[in-house]
């Protein structure tokens, strides 16, 4: 059996029989050396041979290098992380294995315990602490960051850190944590970075090499299980590409995957668009909006699962970008009568579910929709989303891996590292809500989601199925499926907590230098390199232009400066004159009254006209006296022309003031929609004023003719030596080119300045504000600053100010829980209707003070040019969870709390666990305030009960 764990013997050029004695001896020596490596023994732990990229990464690790492994989902890159664990244990050192989410930490912890035993493996996730001093500890990345800032003794003996899903550093809310860890880890620690496939892995590797020392970049784009792309339209499944390669992408058309699209699918899309282009992209179903039958339709959810089952393509994950949509999908499949499990499988499901949920009280099971959930599981169907109880999600994951759940309807959170591979992935739509707007999926998101298809060692191939929707463009879909360009972009920004911790450890100057080493600044500096090259080219061009415009009679640049001043002054006076004429024209039109007869000066309706309505803009009170948007350019009079047309004019029709030439009474019976009324009134208009000639408009003398500044500049210009040069206009043309290029160069230089030292400048502004508030005094962190250093999270400064100001003094435990909830909770929708319900008494007053303190901080941030839109600063505290937190901490039942909060159980558990975490920080930061420390501890005890206590992940 040993041979299957080592490299394939067929890879050598010669068999043992064909080798010469010298070659055989050399090969034997190589094998002997190989067998003495840790990698040789590590491979013995697996019942399959490692892939070349895994071997390359492991060899680099054993040689003492750090590694960045960028490989597709499901390719087995975590084996490299497990080898780091193996090396650490072999050397008697520690290894920390970090993940972005608690669910993934729990999963990896279970895997490592299975291999190495519970005594050697620990878990730290903020709300779970198991054997934290073990040689191998699995943790969330934030836990490691906090350890680094606190100088924890747990870091002693640390040899390796594995950062799983390191591409999370692009996350705009949490990404900075990954960079903080990478920058601050001791130099002696070897870093193993595991990433999804990104197109700028080399750039990221160069940065790691800069800040961490020797780092080998290993990029594997090949999927171990080929992925085939399909579109399901009506009752047919079409291949997306006409000639795909082994990865299911278009062969030979990487630069333009749209050209490799299945022509049958393109014809189908065009035929559907031609049938009713006006309604293309709207609605779903088998009938077009005009009643004409459609050749294709979007298949129903139950039909899709039934079809996949018939073709042997289950288990499948269907991604629906809505929690409600996932639950509705499960109900639709149940109502269809579809059953995917046999009787024996149903019994297995029930036994496992009852065992895993035995700790949950019966009254809570009813509240959580347990029996409906179990019914779906027994049929082999389930939902998976963040709104579910964590324990329920764990059960779904376990049943799916065992093959007892065959169809899962999930939101995109499932794609974030959780080990749930499927044979097929179904995409209902290619648009998702990103928290601010509905946006198209990016190639990176599409690849991450469809990457779940194809189980290594089980499936020969995986399948990605996109459901037909009206308006689907196969070439756009091909671009998503065939594109390999999804760069990793840093989201790093200094926070208040980061600032005080850095200054405490390194002082301001060294901290500034450290922040300059961030990936964000590395990328910004790299972008500056291209701009810098362009500036250099421009400067060479400017030198050439300067030579070409040199005049033997004098300084031609000085002469052109006079010409430009003269031109600028003339343009300025012309603009002033134009503005004055426009203002006069607006005043004249605003003075018109119904019945005035005028001559419209220009435009399509120039000539005699009768004013029916002067068209004065309505003023909206809600706009603070601002003009109505339809009248931003002035009044819009409605007139009857001599040609019997009723038209609304604009100020563009009045380039100069208009004066009424007569008056005409408009009959009360006049109806502008009646042709007869218009004809009669137009006839009266022509009879009364048709013979009147309009007055000619005289502009008057130009302002430039009498302007002393213009007269002076013209005199200087004529007196300049270069004015008499025979080649003056040639020199002038070169000068104009010089000026244009000079302006362009200045723009580039400004761009360079804005991108250079951006992180350090933000850090300086953050430190400036902290200095004003007394958290920093130069290079010294004050006692208030030390407290801030123990508070992590978006509202770290607000929490610190509340402790300093005594906002939470004298509160009961449940009241403190309500107040602290505002530091963590964020409504899923920013425009939630109505004010949230709040506890009365002291808690309500304290919440009010918190909002006022935030208002003061917000004003300070504006003063220091700290912008929350850029990811720095304090968002407004959200009071939407205060009532639920208060009631739960008081001991009310789950049913009562969830009904009042109108919140899914999973969300309630997640926010409560985050609240427990922040209360722990408050307890730690309270310092000498023993009353607040005790209250925070009581609040944690009051919250950690029922489903919160028995939910193992958050």
């Amino acid at each position: 059996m040993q041979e299957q764990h080592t490299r394939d013997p067929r890879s050598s050029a010669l068999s043992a029989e064909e080798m010469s004695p010298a070659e055989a001896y050399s090969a034997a020596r190589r094998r002997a050396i190989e067998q003495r490596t840790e990698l040789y023994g590590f491979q013995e732990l697996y019942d399959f041979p490692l892939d070349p990229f895994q071997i390359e990464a492991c060899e680099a690790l054993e040689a003492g290098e750090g590694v960045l492994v960028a490989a597709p989902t499901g390719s087995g890159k975590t084996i490299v992380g497990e080898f780091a664990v193996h090396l650490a244990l072999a050397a008697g050192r520690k290894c920390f294995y970090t993940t972005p989410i608690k669910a993934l930490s729990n999963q990896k912890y279970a895997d490592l315990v299975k291999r190495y035993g519970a005594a050697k493996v620990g878990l730290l996730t903020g709300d779970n602490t198991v054997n934290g001093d073990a040689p191998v500890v699995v943790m969330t990345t934030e836990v490691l960051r906090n350890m680094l800032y606190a100088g924890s003794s747990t870091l002693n003996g640390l040899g390796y850190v594995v950062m799983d899903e390191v591409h999370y550093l692009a996350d705009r809310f949490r990404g900075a944590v990954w960079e903080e860890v990478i920058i601050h880890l001791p130099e002696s620690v070897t870093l193993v970075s595991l990433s999804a496939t990104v197109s700028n892995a080399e750039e990221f590797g160069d940065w790691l090499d800069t800040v961490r020392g020797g780092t080998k970049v290993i990029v594997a784009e090949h999927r171990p299980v080929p992925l085939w792309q399909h579109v399901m339209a009506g009752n047919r499944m079409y291949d997306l590409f006409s000639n795909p390669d082994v990865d299911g992408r278009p062969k030979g058309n990487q630069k333009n995957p749209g050209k490799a699209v299945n022509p049958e699918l393109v014809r189908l899309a065009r035929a559907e668009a031609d049938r009713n282009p006006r309604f293309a992209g709207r609605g779903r179903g088998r009938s077009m909006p005009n009643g004409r039958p459609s050749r294709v339709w979007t298949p129903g959810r139950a039909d899709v699962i039934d079809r996949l089952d018939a073709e042997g393509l289950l288990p499948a994950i269907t991604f629906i970008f809505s929690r409600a949509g996932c639950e509705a999908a499960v109900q639709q499949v149940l109502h269809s009568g579809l059953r995917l499990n046999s009787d024996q499988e149903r019994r297995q499901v029930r036994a496992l579910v009852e065992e895993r949920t035995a700790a949950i009280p019966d009254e809570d099971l009813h509240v959580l929709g347990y029996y409906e959930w179990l019914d779906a599981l027994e049929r082999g169907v389930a939902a998976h989303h963040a709104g579910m109880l964590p324990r329920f999600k764990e059960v779904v994951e376990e049943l799916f891996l065992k093959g007892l759940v065959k169809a899962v309807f999930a939101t995109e959170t499932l794609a974030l590292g959780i080990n749930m591979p499927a044979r097929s992935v179904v995409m209902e739509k290619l648009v998702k809500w990103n928290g601010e707007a509905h946006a198209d999926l990016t190639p990176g998101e599409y690849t991450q989601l469809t990457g779940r298809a194809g189980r290594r060692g089980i499936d020969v191939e995986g399948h990605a199925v996109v459901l037909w929707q009206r308006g689907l463009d196969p070439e756009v879909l091909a671009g998503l499926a065939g594109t390999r360009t999804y760069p990793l972009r840093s989201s790093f920004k200094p926070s208040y907590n980061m600032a005080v911790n850095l200054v405490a450890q390194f002082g301001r100057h060294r901290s500034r230098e450290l922040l300059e080493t961030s990936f964000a600044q590395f990328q910004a500096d790299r972008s500056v390199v291209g701009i810098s090259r362009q500036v250099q080219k421009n400067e060479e061009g400017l030198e050439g232009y300067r030579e070409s415009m040199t005049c033997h009679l004098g300084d031609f640049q000085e002469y052109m400066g006079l010409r430009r001043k003269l031109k600028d002054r003339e343009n300025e006076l012309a603009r002033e004159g134009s503005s004055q004429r426009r203002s006069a024209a607006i005043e004249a039109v605003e003075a018109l009254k119904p019945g005035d007869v005028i001559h419209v000066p220009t435009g399509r309706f120039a000539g005699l006209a009768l004013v029916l309505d002067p068209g004065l803009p309505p003023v909206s009170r809600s706009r603070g006296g601002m003009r109505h948007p339809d009248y931003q350019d002035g009044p819009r009079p409605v007139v009857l022309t001599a040609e019997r047309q009723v038209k609304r004019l604009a100020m563009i029709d009045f380039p100069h003031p208009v004066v009424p030439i007569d008056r005409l009474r408009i009959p009360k019976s006049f109806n502008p929609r009646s042709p007869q009324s218009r004809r009669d009134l137009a006839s009266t208009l022509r009879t009364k004023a048709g013979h009147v000639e309009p007055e000619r408009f005289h502009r008057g003398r130009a302002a430039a003719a009498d302007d002393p500044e213009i007269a002076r500049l013209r005199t200087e210009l004529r007196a300049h030596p270069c004015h008499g040069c025979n080649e003056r206009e040639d020199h002038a043309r070169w000068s104009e080119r010089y000026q244009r290029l000079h302006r362009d160069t200045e723009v580039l230089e400004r761009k360079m300045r804005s991108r250079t030292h951006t992180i350090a400048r933000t850090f300086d502004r953050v430190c400036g504000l902290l200095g004003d508030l007394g958290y920093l005094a130069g290079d010294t962190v004050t006692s208030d600053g030390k407290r801030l250093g123990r508070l992590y999270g978006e509202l770290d400064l607000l929490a610190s100010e509340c402790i300093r100001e005594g906002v939470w003094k004298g509160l009961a435990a449940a009241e403190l829980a309500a107040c602290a909830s505002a530091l963590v909770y964020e409504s899923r929708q920013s425009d939630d209707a109505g004010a949230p319900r709040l506890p009365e008494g002291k808690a309500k007053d304290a919440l009010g003070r918190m909002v006022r303190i935030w208002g003061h901080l917000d004003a300070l941030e504006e003063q220091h040019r700290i912008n929350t839109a850029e990811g720095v600063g304090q968002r407004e505290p959200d009071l939407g969870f205060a009532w639920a937190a208060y009631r739960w901490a008081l001991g009310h039942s789950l049913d009562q709390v969830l009904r009042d909060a109108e919140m899914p159980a999973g969300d309630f558990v997640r926010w409560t666990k985050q609240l427990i975490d922040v209360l722990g920080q408050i307890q730690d930061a309270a310092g000498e305030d023993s009353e607040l420390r005790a209250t925070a501890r009581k609040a944690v005890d009051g919250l950690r009960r029922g489903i919160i206590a028995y939910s193992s992940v958050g």
Side-chain angles (χ1 to χ4, degrees):
M1 282 294 288
Q2 279 186 353
E3 289 176 357
Q4 78 175 55
H5 305 305
T6 56
R7 300 182 196 197
D8 192 341
R10 289 172 296 179
S11 63
S12 32
L14 299 170
S15 67
E17 292 80 6
E18 294 171 312
M19 288 181 186
S20 68
E23 287 168 335
Y25 174 72
S26 178
R29 282 201 62 174
R30 274 198 309 273
R31 280 197 301 275
I33 291 168
E34 221 173 70
Q35 287 172 7
R36 286 200 297 271
T37 64
E38 288 296 338
L39 178 56
Y40 185 85
F42 177 70
Q43 289 182 88
E44 294 287 321
L45 301 171
Y46 296 90
D47 55 4
F48 54 83
L50 300 191
D51 287 341
F53 86 89
Q54 294 166 329
I55 291 170
E56 186 185 359
C58 291
E59 285 176 344
L61 268 182
E62 193 164 1
E65 288 185 278
V67 293
L68 165 64
V69 181
T73 303
S75 59
K77 53 184 174 281
T78 53
I79 281 177
V80 181
E82 288 166 11
F83 183 58
V85 172
H86 180 87
L87 285 175
L89 291 174
R93 304 190 74 190
K94 287 183 181 179
C95 178
F96 289 171
Y97 197 113
T98 73
T99 71
I101 50 178
K102 294 175 185 177
L104 194 51
S105 292
N106 281 273
Q107 203 170 68
K108 184 50 70 177
Y109 170 71
D111 293 344
L112 292 174
V113 164
K114 210 174 286 181
R115 170 162 297 168
Y116 297 109
K120 289 185 178 176
V121 185
L123 175 68
L124 295 171
T125 61
D127 53 281
N128 272 331
T129 301
V130 180
N131 197 15
D133 292 321
V136 179
V137 184
V138 183
M139 61 184 70
T140 49
T141 317
E142 279 85 353
V143 170
L144 178 53
R145 187 269 314 267
N146 298 353
M147 275 186 190
L148 288 166
Y149 281 149
S152 170
S153 59
T154 313
L155 296 166
N156 296 338
L158 181 62
Y160 295 86
V161 166
V162 180
M163 300 195 82
D164 203 353
E165 310 281 343
V166 74
H167 52 270
Y168 246 82
L169 67 77
D171 184 272
R172 65 194 182 106
F173 298 113
R174 299 171 58 210
V177 176
W178 274 255
E179 290 191 48
E180 287 179 82
V181 168
I182 291 168
I183 291 169
H184 298 310
L185 274 174
E187 285 181 25
S188 58
V189 175
T190 301
L191 185 67
V192 181
S193 306
L194 308 178
S195 168
T197 311
V198 292
S199 57
N200 62 334
E202 288 76 13
E203 180 189 37
F204 186 44
D206 287 348
W207 173 68
L208 287 172
D209 198 61
T210 304
V211 295
R212 302 292 319 158
T215 300
K216 186 157 189 176
V217 179
I218 293 117
V219 178
E221 291 192 345
H222 176 72
R223 283 178 52 90
V225 180
L227 176 66
W228 304 105
Q229 309 275 350
H230 312 281
V231 173
M232 190 183 287
N235 53 16
R236 277 197 62 185
M237 189 119 79
Y238 298 83
D239 289 335
L240 175 59
F241 296 114
S242 53
N243 184 24
D245 65 13
V246 293
D247 283 341
R249 286 186 165 98
K251 191 180 285 183
N253 282 282
Q254 295 301 339
K255 289 187 178 175
N256 192 354
K259 288 186 178 175
V261 178
N262 182 349
E264 195 178 359
L265 197 54
V266 174
R267 282 194 296 273
L268 178 69
R270 284 178 184 160
E272 285 303 297
D274 290 343
R275 290 175 74 78
N276 202 325
R278 183 182 167 197
F279 293 97
R282 300 187 192 176
R284 56 184 293 170
R286 301 191 185 200
S287 296
M288 298 298 280
N290 62 2
R292 295 166 65 189
S294 174
R295 289 174 57 211
V296 292
W297 61 91
T298 306
R301 287 160 173 166
D303 296 335
V304 172
I305 300 303
D306 197 24
R307 175 72 187 275
L308 294 176
D309 189 25
E311 297 203 12
L313 297 181
L314 293 180
I317 299 169
T318 301
F319 284 108
I320 301 171
F321 303 116
S322 141
R323 299 175 182 185
C326 293
E327 296 293 347
V330 171
Q331 291 307 310
Q332 287 162 20
V333 173
L334 294 183
H335 291 152
S336 73
L338 196 61
R339 291 179 184 274
L340 304 175
N341 279 346
S342 64
D343 286 343
Q344 183 185 350
E345 287 172 326
R346 288 182 65 205
R347 286 193 291 274
Q348 285 178 268
V349 168
R350 181 173 280 271
L352 189 144
V353 171
E354 287 178 347
E355 181 188 339
R356 296 288 183 272
T357 58
I360 304 177
D362 286 345
E363 61 269 22
D364 284 356
L365 291 178
H366 282 285
V367 178
L368 297 168
Y370 168 81
Y371 298 102
E372 297 85 350
W373 173 68
L374 176 59
D375 181 34
L377 291 177
E378 287 181 327
R379 296 196 196 192
V381 182
H384 188 289
H385 56 75
M388 290 172 65
L389 188 71
R391 179 62 58 86
F392 282 16
K393 280 198 294 183
E394 284 177 342
V395 170
V396 170
E397 290 160 17
E398 187 175 353
L399 290 173
F400 192 80
L401 288 172
K402 290 177 182 290
L404 297 173
V405 164
K406 299 177 174 67
V408 168
F409 297 94
T411 56
E412 71 272 23
T413 52
L414 182 143
L416 301 177
I418 296 171
N419 182 26
M420 269 184 73
R423 182 167 295 165
S424 304
V425 162
V426 180
M427 306 284 289
E428 278 208 345
K429 292 182 179 176
L430 301 176
V431 174
K432 70 166 200 171
W433 177 256
N434 64 9
E436 294 174 356
H438 285 96
D440 294 334
L441 286 183
T442 64
E445 288 167 335
Y446 183 87
T447 302
Q448 181 88 356
L449 296 168
T450 56
R452 293 277 152 208
R455 296 164 297 174
R456 189 169 189 175
I458 301 173
D459 299 321
V460 178
E461 56 193 29
H463 299 268
V465 181
V466 175
L467 300 190
W468 174 270
Q469 301 285 346
R470 289 230 184 86
L472 177 74
D473 185 338
E475 293 183 2
V476 172
L477 174 57
L480 279 179
T483 301
R484 299 176 193 264
T485 50
Y486 8 94
L488 190 62
R489 293 278 175 251
S490 172
S491 60
F492 183 81
K493 292 288 186 299
S495 68
Y496 296 113
N497 169 279
M498 187 194 302
V500 293
N501 278 308
L502 283 173
V503 173
Q505 281 186 282
F506 308 107
R508 278 181 72 162
H509 180 69
R510 176 80 181 109
S511 298
R512 219 171 175 275
E513 290 177 345
L514 270 174
L515 292 174
E516 293 275 55
T517 65
S518 67
F519 188 43
Q521 191 60 58
F522 184 81
Q523 287 189 311
D525 290 345
R526 279 208 163 183
S527 71
V528 164
V529 171
I531 299 172
S532 176
R533 285 201 198 103
Q534 187 60 51
V535 167
Q536 285 170 9
K537 282 183 189 173
N538 287 7
E539 284 173 348
E540 288 168 13
L542 287 169
E543 188 55 40
Y545 289 163
R546 199 179 287 116
E547 286 178 22
S548 298
M549 70 184 195
T550 302
C551 178
H552 65 287
L553 296 176
D555 185 345
F556 201 83
Q557 271 188 291
E558 183 183 67
Y559 176 73
M560 283 304 294
L562 289 171
R563 277 176 67 151
R564 274 192 300 278
K565 284 180 183 175
L566 177 60
K567 187 179 177 183
D568 290 346
R569 181 59 180 164
E570 286 172 343
N571 288 341
E572 183 187 346
L573 291 175
R575 281 195 301 273
E576 286 176 5
S578 175
S579 176
Q580 287 167 5
R581 284 195 299 277
R582 179 175 166 71
S583 297
I586 289 175
E587 283 180 22
V589 173
E590 285 178 340
L592 294 177
K593 295 182 175 54
D596 280 345
V597 177
I598 60 172
H599 264 282
V600 179
T602 59
R604 287 174 57 199
F605 308 108
L608 196 62
L610 174 66
V611 177
L612 302 176
D613 178 359
L616 297 177
V619 176
S620 166
R621 289 179 190 171
S622 63
R623 295 174 183 270
M626 293 290 285
R627 283 187 187 275
H628 189 279
D630 292 342
Y631 296 85
Q632 289 294 337
D633 294 326
R636 303 280 311 276
V638 178
V639 300
L640 172 71
T641 69
E643 284 72 38
R644 308 191 299 275
Q645 292 175 296
V646 172
K647 293 293 176 184
R648 185 178 288 281
L649 305 180
M651 284 311 300
I652 197 169
D653 299 308
F654 300 95
H656 53 75
V658 64
V659 179
I661 57 175
D662 209 333
R663 292 275 306 160
L664 182 65
R665 191 179 66 81
I666 302 170
K668 287 185 180 178
S669 60
F670 174 72
N671 179 1
R673 295 187 179 182
S674 164
Q676 183 64 47
S677 286
R678 294 200 303 270
R679 191 182 301 115
D680 292 346
L681 191 55
S683 175
T684 306
L685 172 64
R686 287 194 300 273
T687 302
K688 180 154 190 180
H691 61 286
V692 179
E693 285 294 323
E695 285 187 27
R696 288 186 177 276
F697 177 73
H698 299 288
R699 282 184 180 269
R701 187 175 169 83
D706 302 319
D707 185 63
E709 178 68 8
I710 285 181
R712 183 185 66 77
L713 287 168
R714 283 176 179 162
T715 302
E716 282 186 36
L717 199 65
R718 284 191 289 269
H720 197 284
C722 294
H723 192 66
C725 180
N726 293 334
E727 297 177 337
R728 183 183 69 196
E729 293 311 310
D730 281 343
H731 294 329
R733 277 191 290 275
W734 284 112
S735 178
E736 289 297 336
R737 289 173 191 162
Y738 177 91
Q739 284 303 321
R740 277 198 298 274
L741 190 58
H742 183 64
R743 280 195 299 271
D744 292 345
T745 306
E746 284 184 330
V747 168
L748 290 173
E749 286 174 336
R750 279 198 299 275
K751 198 177 281 186
M752 277 176 61
R753 284 194 296 273
S754 72
R755 292 186 185 181
T756 309
H757 309 302
T758 48
I759 303 296
R761 280 201 302 273
T762 304
F763 174 71
D764 289 342
R765 292 199 288 266
V766 165
C767 288
L769 186 146
L770 291 173
D772 286 357
L773 288 174
Y775 288 94
L776 292 176
D779 267 12
T780 305
V781 178
T782 65
S783 57
D784 288 334
K786 287 173 183 170
R787 180 180 56 245
L788 174 58
R790 292 192 287 271
L791 294 164
Y792 303 91
E794 273 189 285
L795 295 180
D796 47 7
L797 185 57
L798 175 60
S800 182
E801 284 290 282
C802 287
I803 294 174
R804 180 160 75 169
E805 297 291 328
V807 172
W808 301 324
K809 247 185 175 20
L811 295 182
E815 292 171 329
L816 179 60
C819 291
S821 74
L823 301 173
V824 293
Y825 180 71
E826 282 188 84
S827 304
R828 291 192 71 221
Q829 295 174 329
S830 57
D831 56 351
D832 282 347
R837 186 173 180 183
L838 303 175
E840 293 298 329
K842 288 182 181 178
K844 190 171 185 177
D845 293 341
L847 285 165
R849 284 184 68 190
M850 285 175 69
V851 173
R852 286 194 293 276
I853 289 172
W854 169 81
H856 172 64
L857 293 177
D858 189 50
L860 266 179
E861 285 177 343
E862 192 173 334
Q863 186 182 322
H864 284 267
R865 293 181 295 123
I866 294 171
N867 189 354
T868 50
E870 294 175 357
V872 187
Q874 308 280 282
R875 64 166 174 82
E876 185 173 0
D878 192 324
L879 314 185
F881 192 60
W883 181 245
Y886 177 71
R887 300 253 292 163
W888 183 252
L890 279 178
H892 287 270
S893 72
L894 179 67
D895 184 22
Q896 290 176 309
V897 173
L898 290 185
R899 201 183 312 121
D900 280 358
E902 296 181 350
M903 180 179 288
D907 285 347
F908 175 73
V909 169
R910 188 171 74 258
W911 291 122
T912 304
K913 290 203 162 190
Q914 287 188 31
L915 172 55
I916 288 170
D917 186 41
V918 83
L919 283 166
Q921 292 175 31
I922 290 168
Q923 184 181 330
D924 186 37
E928 296 175 5
D929 190 344
S930 55
E931 182 195 337
L932 180 59
R933 210 166 45 245
T935 308
R937 197 179 304 118
K938 281 182 196 168
V940 169
D941 293 342
L943 292 167
R944 193 179 277 136
R945 64 182 181 87
I947 59 167
I948 307 301
Y950 55 66
S951 292
S952 60
V953 297

